[in-house]
Amino acid sequence: MDPAVEIMGFLAANDVCATIFATGVMSETQEGQEVMTIIEANPGLFEIANHTMYHCDLARGGGGSPSTAPCAGGPFDADRIRQELSDAEAILAVGTGQDPQPYWRPPYGSTNQAVLDAAASVGYTKTFMWDIDTVDWKPIADGGPSAEQIAARVVNGAVNGSNVLFHLGGYETLDALHLIVPGLRDRGFTLTSLSDLLN
């Protein structure tokens, strides 16, 4: 989460609209609370969406961030899926003054019909994936992309309606955004939130 506040500041300073899929547990950190404050202060730019409480793999079990402890075991049952979303929602709503419903993204993109049904039963009827994955969560030392590689992937790969996956804790994300924002605008794209895209 170290660059999160700087990333949000850059987006705000450059009038970049974005949908922020936040987890409850990371939103409770100091950096997370600062991000929530920035979202609340800029409702015309940012909208909050649900990324569950602990970033568990809801379809298969396991996963988790920053800890694996809450996610141990096999696939989650419907009650546990609902709790993951409802617990996060309470934190996100208080932190931003926004209702994250109906938008959510399943951690790891891991989902099935049981997960979708459980999510819908607590108001999360709009499930979002992505068509451009920046892989910004992976450091260069471990084979992750440089800022220039991320920028090239996004600017060259974007099409009308693209949903680009970034992380506020991404290693090269801030530097990449300095290239991506003007690069996409030069190509004629409007950078917007998912609700704007859908309406």
Side-chain angles (χ1 to χ4, degrees), residues 132 150-158 179-181 183-184 187 189:
I132 301 176
I150 292 171
R153 180 178 299 161
V154 175
V155 174
N156 297 331
L179 303 171
I180 290 167
V181 171
L184 288 175
R187 286 193 59 204
F189 286 104

Side-chain angles (χ1 to χ4, degrees), residues 150-169:
I150 292 171
R153 180 178 299 161
V154 175
V155 174
N156 297 331
V159 297
N160 190 33
S162 278
N163 186 357
V164 183
L165 174 63
F166 290 103
H167 293 83
L168 289 177

Side-chain angles (χ1 to χ4, degrees), residues 21 102-106 126-130 163 194 198:
F21 289 86
Y103 306 129
W104 82 292
R105 183 168 74 80
K126 303 286 187 187
T127 306
F128 284 97
M129 298 297 192
W130 55 90
N163 186 357
L194 289 172
L198 294 174

Side-chain angles (χ1 to χ4, degrees), residues 4-43:
V5 175
E6 288 181 89
I7 289 170
M8 293 297 294
F10 173 80
L11 296 176
N14 288 277
D15 293 320
V16 177
C17 292
T19 303
I20 310 298
F21 289 86
T23 62
V25 68
M26 295 304 274
S27 297
E28 291 184 311
T29 66
Q30 179 180 337
E31 294 88 354
Q33 289 174 2
E34 290 180 50
V35 167
M36 297 293 108
T37 299
I38 293 169
I39 293 170
E40 184 173 34
N42 295 277

Side-chain angles (χ1 to χ4, degrees), residues 58 76-86 104 111-125 127:
L58 302 178
F76 283 20
D77 64 20
D79 285 342
R80 194 163 174 203
I81 293 166
R82 286 191 283 264
Q83 184 175 359
E84 276 286 306
L85 289 162
S86 297
W104 82 292
T111 189
N112 56 35
Q113 195 58 52
V115 170
L116 295 174
D117 290 346
S121 74
V122 287
Y124 290 94
T125 55
T127 306

Side-chain angles (χ1 to χ4, degrees), residues 48-139:
I48 194 70
N50 202 324
H51 197 35
T52 73
M53 186 67 194
Y54 293 108
H55 203 272
C56 302
D57 186 325
L58 302 178
R60 296 184 293 259
S65 176
S67 166
T68 60
C71 303
F76 283 20
D77 64 20
D79 285 342
R80 194 163 174 203
I81 293 166
R82 286 191 283 264
Q83 184 175 359
E84 276 286 306
L85 289 162
S86 297
D87 288 354
E89 179 181 317
I91 293 165
L92 302 179
V94 168
T96 65
Q98 296 183 25
D99 182 355
Q101 289 188 32
Y103 306 129
W104 82 292
R105 183 168 74 80
Y108 312 103
S110 179
T111 189
N112 56 35
Q113 195 58 52
V115 170
L116 295 174
D117 290 346
S121 74
V122 287
Y124 290 94
T125 55
K126 303 286 187 187
T127 306
F128 284 97
M129 298 297 192
W130 55 90
D131 62 297
I132 301 176
D133 187 350
T134 62
V135 195
D136 61 345
W137 54 269
K138 191 173 193 179

